[in-house]
Amino acid sequence: MTYHIFNPEHDIALASNLANFTAPHAGRQLRHDLGFLPVLWASEGDGILADDAELARKSIGKLSARLPHASRARLHAFQDSVYTINQAARKDSLSFIEPWGWDAALKSLLLRHGISPSSLPTDETLSTIRQLSHRQLAASLLPQLRVDGTVGQSFFCTDMASVSSLLQSHGRLVLKAPWSSSGRGLRFLHATQAPVSSQEGWIKNVVAAQGAVMAEPYYNKVKDFGMEFCTDGAGHTTYLGLSLFHTMNGAYTGNVLATENWKQNQLSAFLPAELTHFVESAICEQTARLFRDKYKGPFGVDMMIVARDDADGFLLHPCVEINLRRTMGHAALSLTHLFNPTSDDDVTGVMRIKYEDNNYKLILQKL
């Protein structure tokens, strides 16, 4: 039996690389309030592990009430399959755990609560996942996706001199910590307005803690989006769908719920369909090789549409970031099937994560 866990603090835990890591308050509350989220992608017969099992059951009931009748029975079936970690540890049926993302902190937590080591990945596997989660993986994949109509570069910098040289060449840079949560761990440099010296302390601290900083040219972003995948770890990657999402100050705020046809039509206003299809196929081919015998599970590739500097029109940055875990894009794809079980192109909505009344809430709205 597979048990699912929503651990949104995963990216920060990877950066710390500590078994006894304690997530910031916001991360802990997000996990507590939205512990029911795996109901969206869990299969029949699976279980869900939540910090507050009773709250998760109530949340599943509230969510099902907002969905079409055809989807309600599927969600209701999970209300009897929600447990705390301690409750699951006492069950003989527990054989496999599938979290949002694997890290040393989660494994340590599960062991402390009595989960058998046989149900958990080895330390060697966790080390491999962490290395693959380094932003250098996206940098190495990017050249394989570059064709006419695309843009993007990424550089591995271990000292101030290399950052300074790149800033002199490009004029503006985005610096990223190798391990950091989406939209976080970023700094911006401008050759005249924000020189390297303005971020000297941050750069040195990141290099000392994580070995390097990633530097990328600054692009005039028009739109964020992503592609969601799953790899079997045996040489095959499957494309799952597009993720059209919104951010505010770099933080995730919501996803569009719509058919693939509708989403592709939205992108076609900026990019030819042939280009996005090429990138989709190339990612499947390249990651099947990269992840073989190393990683099995879901992952997402964040992309962006950027305005051309020298002419009208747009370019595609095909690999801004690789998230080696489940993503909100995966959650949105699963929710879309529940929200629109008839796959009607005219039925669209949005899934938002909103903080109000001292709680995180999953908000569904029709567009």
Side-chain angles (χ1 to χ4, degrees):
M1 184 174 183
T2 297
Y3 287 81
H4 300 266
I5 302 175
F6 177 55
N7 57 314
E9 73 280 6
H10 165 70
D11 290 344
I12 309 174
L14 275 185
S16 75
N17 201 28
L18 297 173
N20 294 319
F21 167 77
T22 299
H25 173 75
R28 299 196 305 273
Q29 184 168 2
L30 186 63
R31 173 174 172 166
H32 174 272
D33 295 346
L34 299 184
F36 70 96
L37 212 58
V39 73
L40 300 178
W41 57 83
S43 300
E44 183 179 353
D46 289 353
I48 297 170
L49 303 185
D51 291 351
D52 188 330
E54 184 58 32
L55 174 63
R57 294 187 192 101
K58 291 179 180 178
S59 298
I60 291 172
K62 291 179 181 178
L63 174 60
S64 66
R66 289 177 279 168
L67 294 173
H69 183 76
S71 300
R72 293 178 186 174
R74 180 187 179 281
L75 264 64
H76 277 302
F78 283 98
Q79 288 188 301
D80 294 327
S81 302
V82 182
Y83 311 94
T84 64
I85 298 174
N86 287 336
Q87 289 171 335
R90 295 193 293 268
K91 287 184 169 293
D92 295 334
S93 59
L94 193 153
S95 58
F96 185 72
I97 293 178
E98 187 176 306
W100 186 255
W102 274 116
D103 52 69
L106 179 61
K107 178 180 178 179
S108 178
L109 172 69
L110 294 170
L111 287 172
R112 291 198 303 271
H113 284 270
I115 299 296
S116 170
S118 64
S119 300
L120 307 175
T122 65
D123 290 345
E124 181 181 8
T125 297
L126 291 180
S127 178
T128 298
I129 290 174
R130 185 171 188 269
Q131 289 305 312
L132 289 172
S133 300
H134 193 290
R135 291 187 193 272
Q136 194 169 15
L137 178 67
S140 67
L141 180 60
L142 186 54
Q144 314 304 317
L145 309 178
R146 289 292 311 276
V147 293
D148 288 344
T150 66
V151 69
Q153 292 176 288
S154 185
F155 305 92
F156 186 81
C157 300
T158 58
D159 54 44
M160 297 289 292
S162 56
V163 176
S164 295
S165 177
L166 286 170
L167 183 59
Q168 185 175 0
S169 299
H170 295 280
R172 299 180 72 180
L173 292 177
V174 180
L175 302 183
K176 301 180 178 180
W179 288 284
S180 60
S181 57
S182 298
R184 307 296 175 88
L186 306 183
R187 295 295 187 275
F188 298 88
L189 298 181
H190 190 290
T192 57
Q193 300 174 15
V196 174
S197 58
S198 68
Q199 296 294 338
E200 182 175 1
W202 182 85
I203 294 170
K204 289 183 175 179
N205 286 339
V206 172
V207 170
Q210 300 189 21
V213 294
M214 304 302 295
E216 303 173 5
Y218 176 88
Y219 299 106
N220 184 13
K221 181 175 69 175
V222 174
K223 187 177 185 63
D224 287 309
F225 75 101
M227 292 184 182
E228 309 303 338
F229 303 86
C230 187
T231 184
D232 65 1
H236 183 72
T237 293
T238 301
Y239 171 67
L240 301 178
L242 288 167
S243 170
L244 303 189
F245 58 89
H246 305 284
T247 60
M248 181 177 293
N249 298 323
Y252 170 87
T253 58
N255 258 86
V256 172
L257 305 177
T259 63
E260 291 304 301
N261 183 61
W262 189 94
K263 289 181 286 187
Q264 185 63 63
N265 285 339
Q266 298 300 302
L267 293 184
S268 67
F270 305 94
L271 304 169
E274 294 80 5
L275 180 57
T276 54
H277 291 327
F278 164 79
V279 170
E280 165 199 324
S281 297
I283 291 174
C284 285
E285 179 182 351
Q286 294 296 325
T287 57
R289 174 183 55 83
L290 288 169
F291 297 151
R292 187 183 183 97
D293 299 325
K294 295 179 180 178
Y295 176 75
K296 175 183 178 181
F299 69 95
V301 180
D302 288 347
M303 306 177 185
M304 64 181 175
I305 299 168
V306 303
R308 290 179 180 270
D309 290 332
D310 55 353
D312 292 336
F314 307 94
L315 297 169
L316 169 64
H317 190 312
C319 189
V320 176
E321 183 169 297
I322 300 176
N323 295 302
L324 205 66
R325 52 169 170 78
R326 196 173 296 275
T327 70
M328 285 297 178
H330 288 96
L333 290 175
S334 298
L335 183 53
T336 296
H337 296 304
L338 297 169
F339 181 79
N340 181 16
T342 61
S343 298
D344 186 343
D345 284 343
D346 292 330
V347 177
T348 57
V350 63
M351 173 190 87
R352 300 188 190 280
I353 305 299
K354 187 175 183 180
Y355 185 75
E356 63 179 15
D357 300 328
N358 297 317
N359 295 109
Y360 286 98
K361 298 179 180 179
L362 178 68
I363 306 295
L364 298 185
Q365 296 175 318
K366 286 190 175 182
L367 293 180

